[in-house]
Structures are given as C-alpha cells and as structure tokens.
Amino acid sequence: MQPMETISTVAGLRARVREWKQAGARVGVVPTMGALHAGHLSLVQAARARMDRGITTVFVNPIQFDNADDLATYPRTLAEDGRMLARSGVDVLYAPTAAEMYPPGFATRITVAGVSTGLCGGSRPGHFDGVATVVCKLFMQTLADCAFFGEKDFQQVQVIRRMVADLNLPIEIVSCPTMREADGLALSSRNRRLTAAQRQTAVALPRVLAACAQDIAAGTGVAAALSGAADHLAAAGFDSVDYVELRAETDLRPLATLLPGTPARLLAAAWLGDVRLIDGMPVPPRG
Ligand code: AMP
C-alpha cells in the first residue's frame, strides 16, 4: 500500500487523478468537514471496498454556515484526521484552503429547489446552497466516479442526488447507514462540543425517534406522534426542537400518514446549548 499523500491545490489533485485515470483506476471521493470519527471512516471503507483509488476531502466550508459562531467553533483536527485516514488506506487527503476554494471574485451558487426547503433548509437559510456549491466543486475537482455520503444527513443526500441528476454530473452517489455510539447517539463531529450532562441528554434524540417510529408504524396518528416526540425531547432536556417530521424518503415530501409503497423517514433536529444535533430513522411499514 502506498503512503497517503496530502494535497491542497486543485492543480495538484488534478495531476494525481489524471495519472490514476490513465491507468484505468476508478476513483471514489468522501467529502467531509474533518474532525473525523467512525462514521466518516465507514464511508472511507465503503469507498475502499468499491473503488480502486480513494480521496477523502477535509474542508470546513464557510459558505454553508449560516451562523458565524458555529463556523468559528467547528472542530478542526487536521493532523489527527490525516493519521486516521492514512491508517484507513486512503490514497489522497485533499485539504484545500478557503482561498483555493473561493478565490477573490468567486460569485457562483447552486440552488437545489424542492428537497432543500424545510427541515434543515428551513432552520439554516442558505445552508444547502453552500453544500451543493462546494460538493459540485469537489466533484469537478476530484473528477471522481463515485461519491459516498452518510444517511445521517438524509436531506443533504437528497439535495446532492437531485443536483447530480439535474446537472447530469457524471458521478454515482452512494449513501451509507448512520454509525452510532453504543447507546444509540449518532456519531457527529459536533458531539465533542457537548458537556458530560448534555451528552447524557443527547441520547434521548435517537430513543425518542425510535419510539416515535414504532408508534407511527403501530398506527398512532402522525401529527400526534410528532408533537409527542417534540414534547419528549423538551422534557428530556433539549433546549429547543427545530423540527420532528415524517417525510417520504425519495423526494422528502411531508407525509401526514404512512402510505403503502412509500418508504418514510422520521427526521429531527434539536439544540443542546449552542450545539445542534440531527438524526433520522426509517419508519417500518405498517402491519
Ligand atoms: P461532515 O464532516 O459532518 O460534513 O460529514 C461528512 C460525511 O460523513 C457526510 O456524508 C455525513 O453524512 C457523513 N457522516 C457524518 N456522521 C455520520 C455517521 N454517524 N454515520 C455515517 N456517516 C456519517
């Protein structure tokens, strides 16, 4: 196995990928914002299993943050990320600077209508424009054949799938299941900002969602189940609840009831202090 290479320029990345492609290799990319954990590494492993060459990108994308404090406090652990990725068999860690990504005069935004509205798009104005723009740039920079994303950010995956279809981007999108702590909390870079007490409260998010999904599958009315779940999160100690919603998995349209043949997913976001956590779960079909 070749040692991992760290590249920070588009030109350097393009040169390496050109060599790989000339040798007939299929290239996978895992876009991340760093502060890596086992959830990210599961995407890296999925890419390794399917592709000849793997790139992981680490870039804290300023244009997807609607809140300056969130951007400033987002954990940055590039040296440790590099060690984890090298051990995971990644070929290239691509870590561009903000100036490389957004040189003076940069003026383009990609807006994906429909699936980006509501949910996290409702609570974080402009967030998915920033995500779609940077992901499209990463696709163009890496020229990867396949990109790997986590279902934890379920709306994000749908935004990216829509963008790829609409813009005929020649890349396949693979989504991977959410990796969780032993108690059920979804792994997230933001978890490391929780106090010990907040960390204890945080586990209510997957627990309440799992119970809500079971209730809906068992026939409880959707509206009552969703508002009950929001109440349970508040009672457990969440400071505020952005949303708890039931959506169709394919196009994220709101569902007032389970529909036969329409896979449904419960999606939620809630705050502990200044840390915003998200999670989601499929709702089993009735019966
Ligand atoms: P982030 O660094 O938070 O932007 O995430 C980078 C990628 O890792 C995204 O595709 C996320 O959906 C994915 N990811 C984050 N947390 C998890 C997790 N717990 N399990 C699986 N994938 C995850």
Side-chain angles (χ1 to χ4, degrees), residues 43-280:
L43 306 183
V44 168
Q45 294 314 330
R48 268 198 74 163
R50 288 182 54 144
M51 313 304 288
D52 304 308
R53 294 289 188 174
I55 303 169
T56 295
T57 72
V58 172
F59 179 62
V60 182
N61 177 33
I63 69 167
Q64 75 184 65
F65 285 80
D66 54 304
N67 175 318
D69 284 346
D70 192 24
L71 173 60
T73 56
Y74 198 86
R76 289 164 172 84
T77 60
L78 188 60
E80 177 57 17
D81 293 345
R83 286 191 283 275
M84 288 169 81
L85 293 172
R87 285 196 296 271
S88 304
V90 165
D91 294 293
V92 163
L93 160 57
Y94 177 54
T97 61
E100 180 78 2
M101 284 303 245
Y102 302 116
F106 186 89
T108 299
R109 285 287 187 286
I110 294 178
T111 297
V112 181
V115 287
S116 69
T117 54
L119 304 171
C120 289
S123 340
R124 304 183 67 190
H127 169 68
F128 285 118
D129 291 4
V131 169
T133 303
V134 80
V135 168
C136 188
K137 281 176 68 73
L138 291 169
F139 288 175
M140 295 299 109
Q141 292 174 352
T142 60
L143 300 175
D145 300 288
C146 201
F148 297 78
F149 291 89
E151 285 181 358
K152 177 181 164 271
D153 299 275
F154 198 81
Q155 187 177 17
Q156 172 171 277
V157 180
Q158 305 312 320
V159 168
I160 288 167
R161 286 190 186 283
R162 188 74 256 160
M163 173 181 76
V164 165
D166 289 356
L167 299 182
N168 307 103
L169 300 180
I171 189 164
E172 182 190 345
I173 304 301
V174 176
S175 58
C176 303
T178 302
M179 303 298 287
R180 298 178 179 279
E181 302 277 8
D183 67 0
L185 179 66
L187 296 177
S188 165
S189 305
R190 290 191 165 88
N191 292 352
R192 62 181 82 195
R193 295 189 45 229
L194 298 172
T195 64
Q198 287 170 333
R199 172 64 185 80
Q200 281 199 318
T201 304
V203 72
L205 184 55
R207 289 194 181 151
V208 166
L209 287 183
C212 182
Q214 287 303 328
D215 288 348
I216 292 172
T220 304
V222 169
L226 297 180
S227 72
D231 291 345
H232 286 309
L233 289 174
F238 275 87
D239 295 297
S240 71
V241 178
D242 269 359
Y243 61 81
V244 182
E245 293 199 32
L246 185 69
R247 297 286 184 119
E249 288 199 344
T250 45
D251 58 7
L252 295 183
R253 71 184 184 284
L255 294 176
T257 175
L258 287 183
L259 299 171
T262 303
R265 190 165 280 247
L266 213 45
L267 298 167
W271 292 84
L272 280 169
D274 62 353
V275 181
R276 184 174 181 276
L277 298 181
I278 65 172
D279 205 345

